[in-house]
Each structure stands twice: as C-alpha cells, then as structure tokens.
Amino acid sequence: MTSDLLAPLDLAFWNMESAEHPMHLGALGVFAAHSPTAGAHAADLLAGRAAAVPGLRMRIRDVWPLGFPYAFGGAARVPDPAFDPLRHVLLHAPTADFHTEAGRLMQRPLDRERPPWEAHVLPGEDGVSFAVLFKFHHALADGLRALTLAAAVLDPMDLPARRPRPEEPAKPLLPDVRKLPGLVRGAVSDLGRALDIGASVALSSVGVRSSAAIAAEPSGTRRTAGVVVDLDDVHRVRKTRGGTVNDVLIAVVAGALRRWLDERGDGSEGVAPRALIPVSKRRPRTAHPQGNRLSGYLIRLPVDDPDPLGRLDTVRTAMDRNKDAGPNRGAGAVALLADHVPALGHRLGGPLVSQGARLWFDILVTSVPLPSIGLKLGGNPVTEVYPFAPLARGQSLAVAISTFRGQVHYGLVADAEAVPDLDLLALALTEEVKELLAACGP
C-alpha cells in the first residue's frame, strides 16, 4: 500500500468537520438472523475480513512530513502500521430499536488518529435479526467507494470482472511549456465557470423561505429513521405522470415535508426550501477508486403547493432544467470549486465553508446506488438498507435514498433536539406515496 494524496474535495470534507458536525456518511443494514448468535458471528467475520481490505487500513495524515512539500497544508491516505480491526468493528448489546442506536452512534465523530471508519453490530432483542451500522468519513469514501469497502467485508458476491484501469502518468511539479496556451485557456474557462456558479448561488438565495424545522443551530445530537416504499408504486406514478424514478422520490420528500410542517403547526405556506441533489461524476467500473467526484443540482422543493401532481411536475421541470445545463454549471456545482482552492486554503477555510453551508442549501436529498443482487453476512441475508448522509452546519435534516431489490429505502438523519418528531416525518413519507397513487387514479 502506498500513500495517496487527498483530492481537493476530500480535503474540504476533512477540514469542514467539527465535533457537532462529523463528516461521515453511514448505512444501516438489517439482516435476517439464522440464529440468536448470528450478530456475534457477524462481528467476528467483519473483523477478520477487514484486516485483508487495503482501503480499510488507510488513515489520513498531514502531508508535509510525508514528502509532499508542493502540497503544503494538504493531507494523504497512508497505511496505518498499527491497524487493529477490533478497534473498528464493535459488538453492542441487544436492542429492540436499531434506529435509536444508529442515531446515537451517528452523532459520535470518528477517531481522526485511526482509519476513519467503523462497523457497529447491533443484535436484535428478538433473536431473529441484527443490524450493522457502517460509518465512513467522507474524506475516505463517497457513496460508491463506501459501498465497495462495505461489500468487501460482506459475503463474497459473483460480480462481473472489473475492467483494468490504465496507469495514470505521474504529474510533473511544473507544467510543460508547450501546453501553456491550453492551460491558459483552461484557466480562463474555469474562471468563467466559477463566476457562473457564484452568480447562480447568489440568485438561488433570493426570495427563499425555508422553515425553522429544517434549519437550526446545532446541538450535536442525532436521530435517525427509516422508511420502506414499494418500487412498483413509484414506477406506477412515474409511468402515469412522466419523469424519472428520482423525480418521484424527490417529490415524495417535498410532499412529506408539507404534511409534516402542517401537522406540527409550523405551516407550509410559502415554504420552498433549496434542496441539494448530489451528482456523482465518476463511472463506477472505470474511475479511479479513491477520491470524491461530486457535483450537484439545486432545486426548490415545492412544499407550498397543495397539489401532489403539481409538486411532481415542478420537481421534474426543475430537474430537467438542471440536466440540460449539466452538472458543471449552476448553484449546485459549488463542490467543483474545491479543485481550484490550494490545500492550505482548505485547511484554513474549512470551518468557514462549513458555516456557509446554510447559505447554499437548506436540505440535502441524495440517492445512493446499491447492487440489485442479494447481500449477505455469514449467510444471513440483508432485508433492509438505510443510507445516512452527513448533516451540514445550520441544517436539521438530511435525506438519503437507496433502491434495493424492489424496494426504496429512505434514510433520515436529523438533529435530535431540533427534530424530536422525526418518526412523524417518516410516516408522512409513507402517506405521501399513498396520496400520489390516489392522485394518479386507478
């Protein structure tokens, strides 16, 4: 294993972190247990397999003492010579509520002196199920990379062979003078794109009315919830009204927020929060396995629209407009600007960027891809998978969505003090699907 310099966006995630806002993503997998001891056996398997996965042995360290003087202020993934999987795979006492435990564990930052990941095994009190909460720091992995690392410690799967990735030539410290004209044109183009993104961010904040329920001062506490939706129901709505599956799933979030805000007395009139929809710019089978490759789309969720089909049409139109412009333009593409900030700038400006997230968007709604094949651990099959996104400073709620074997799983993460009634929002998601189906007719 060799050292690997963090990409600019990875470095931004590493330096944005605080005790109240840990920058790790997570996934709660629920397994059907073949025996009451299946959870303990699963913990043993995870620890044994983790020792053989190179990506799980990598810690993040400052680069100056590691021989990268040209990237002063940066950080790199380096092998941890003292790696002990038993410090990362933790077996807990039996529980009757996986989400209560997941919320408690999601609020704890990862140890930055070790490889930044954990796997928490939660046996069920019923003896017929257990869960595993995986946590990966966003600087170690994005959603696709986290999926790859988690799959490496689950039971082996029969997957198509990965296409070989061509070797990348070493980057010179100084540019080739013959390429300077092209580099200048590229720099001018990048500057134009940065100005366009900055202007779009400024415009996106005009006339925004969010809700205190999804934007609050941080308490550092976390609560999680999960919702399962039948994918066939989503396809029925899509076929009736048009758009994509993702359009329908985002519209469900908008409608659920409306129902939830009205029921808790906050009111939805005039509320149109800005939702950041991350977009992966990597190709899973050919892209470099390390480093975040993210952009995003920014849309206004039509929470104030009383018509469920009208909400869906608004989301579909907004998403189509973003796709036509592409992921390199618009207010959602702010993450791309990380490439143009020097390493020292990320180190010094990380806390400021974190505090500015609330000026950029109000709620995160992200989709995390999962394989359609069955996943098992110790022969015990996965029955549910709930993805969890990091919670940005000044925001009380983040929504992550995965489609797995004919079902859609919504994973909700919230500030526990700001959103003590997260279970009511989860119920509102289910009710919104029913309302959309009813609006589509028989």
Side-chain angles (χ1 to χ4, degrees):
M1 293 183 289
T2 58
S3 299
D4 181 30
L5 196 65
L6 289 190
L9 188 53
D10 301 339
L11 189 60
F13 287 138
W14 187 246
N15 287 298
M16 285 168 59
E17 183 170 64
S18 67
E20 294 79 18
H21 287 86
M23 288 303 298
H24 54 252
L25 44 86
L28 181 70
V30 180
F31 296 77
H34 292 329
S35 73
T37 61
H41 179 54
D44 291 339
L45 286 175
L46 290 173
R49 292 170 179 174
V53 181
L56 296 178
R57 305 175 68 94
M58 306 297 280
R59 64 191 298 190
I60 296 176
R61 307 299 293 166
D62 293 342
V63 300
W64 178 254
L66 301 176
F68 296 95
Y70 56 88
F72 180 66
R77 303 178 189 87
V78 300
D80 183 1
F83 175 68
D84 180 358
L86 295 179
R87 304 175 91 176
H88 298 264
V89 179
L90 305 171
L91 177 64
H92 295 261
T95 178
D97 188 340
F98 295 138
H99 278 289
T100 295
E101 289 301 306
R104 180 179 63 83
L105 295 168
M106 282 295 291
Q107 73 188 33
R108 289 173 19 186
L110 294 164
D111 189 339
R112 293 169 67 93
E113 297 302 315
R114 302 174 187 166
W117 70 274
E118 292 173 349
H120 297 269
V121 181
L122 309 170
E125 284 186 352
D126 55 14
V128 298
S129 66
F130 68 90
V132 179
L133 174 67
F134 288 101
K135 293 168 55 178
F136 295 97
H137 199 287
H138 220 330
L140 180 70
D142 60 8
L144 286 173
R145 175 64 173 164
L147 173 62
T148 300
L149 292 173
V153 292
L154 297 178
D155 291 355
M157 297 179 291
D158 294 327
L159 297 176
R162 184 182 295 273
R163 280 182 276 176
R165 179 173 56 87
E167 290 294 326
E168 297 181 356
K171 294 182 180 180
L173 295 182
L174 297 175
D176 186 337
V177 294
R178 294 169 296 181
K179 298 181 180 179
L180 284 178
L183 292 173
V184 171
R185 286 194 298 271
V188 172
S189 175
D190 288 343
L191 177 60
R193 181 173 65 181
L195 292 173
D196 172 80
I197 293 172
S200 298
V201 171
L203 288 173
S204 72
S205 63
V206 176
V208 170
R209 180 170 184 262
S210 186
S211 170
I214 58 175
E217 290 303 316
S219 70
T221 59
R222 293 291 181 271
R223 187 184 302 273
T224 72
V227 177
V228 180
V229 172
D230 193 321
L231 184 57
D232 287 341
D233 289 343
V234 177
H235 278 300
R236 179 182 161 192
V237 174
R238 177 189 62 81
K239 291 175 182 177
T240 301
R241 201 66 180 185
T244 67
V245 166
N246 203 41
D247 293 342
V248 177
L249 298 177
I250 295 170
V252 167
V253 174
L257 287 172
R258 174 184 175 82
R259 184 184 302 270
W260 176 63
L261 290 173
D262 286 344
E263 289 180 352
R264 76 198 314 252
D266 290 353
S268 60
E269 183 178 355
V271 175
R274 298 161 299 172
L276 176 63
I277 317 294
V279 177
S280 176
K281 297 195 67 180
R282 76 157 82 210
R283 290 183 294 175
R285 293 181 57 80
T286 58
H288 193 285
Q290 302 280 22
N292 283 275
R293 301 288 187 273
L294 291 174
S295 183
Y297 299 141
L298 198 70
I299 70 170
R300 299 222 184 165
L301 293 180
V303 172
D304 56 347
D305 188 340
D307 178 15
L309 295 181
R311 292 192 292 267
L312 175 55
D313 290 344
T314 298
V315 168
R316 184 185 63 199
T317 300
M319 289 297 290
D320 286 346
R321 186 183 304 115
N322 274 292
K323 292 171 187 174
D324 288 342
N328 295 329
R329 297 285 181 181
V334 167
L336 299 179
L337 300 183
D339 290 340
H340 307 291
V341 177
L344 189 58
H346 283 297
R347 181 175 295 274
L348 297 177
L352 183 61
V353 171
S354 175
Q355 294 175 11
R358 68 192 309 172
L359 302 177
W360 174 26
F361 65 98
D362 302 299
I363 184 173
L364 180 74
V365 182
T366 182
S367 294
V368 181
L370 288 177
S372 58
I373 59 178
L375 301 172
K376 296 182 179 181
L377 179 55
N380 304 286
V382 172
T383 58
E384 304 165 42
V385 182
Y386 301 101
F388 298 134
L391 200 57
R393 180 181 293 274
Q395 293 161 3
S396 304
L397 177 67
V399 181
I401 311 168
S402 282
T403 301
F404 178 66
R405 297 179 71 82
Q407 293 182 320
V408 177
H409 293 82
Y410 282 90
L412 309 178
V413 176
D415 185 287
E417 291 189 9
V419 188
D421 56 347
L422 188 62
D423 55 330
L424 296 182
L425 177 58
L427 180 61
L429 286 167
T430 301
E431 295 299 319
E432 179 62 16
V433 174
K434 294 178 181 178
E435 185 171 355
L436 270 172
L437 286 170
C440 288

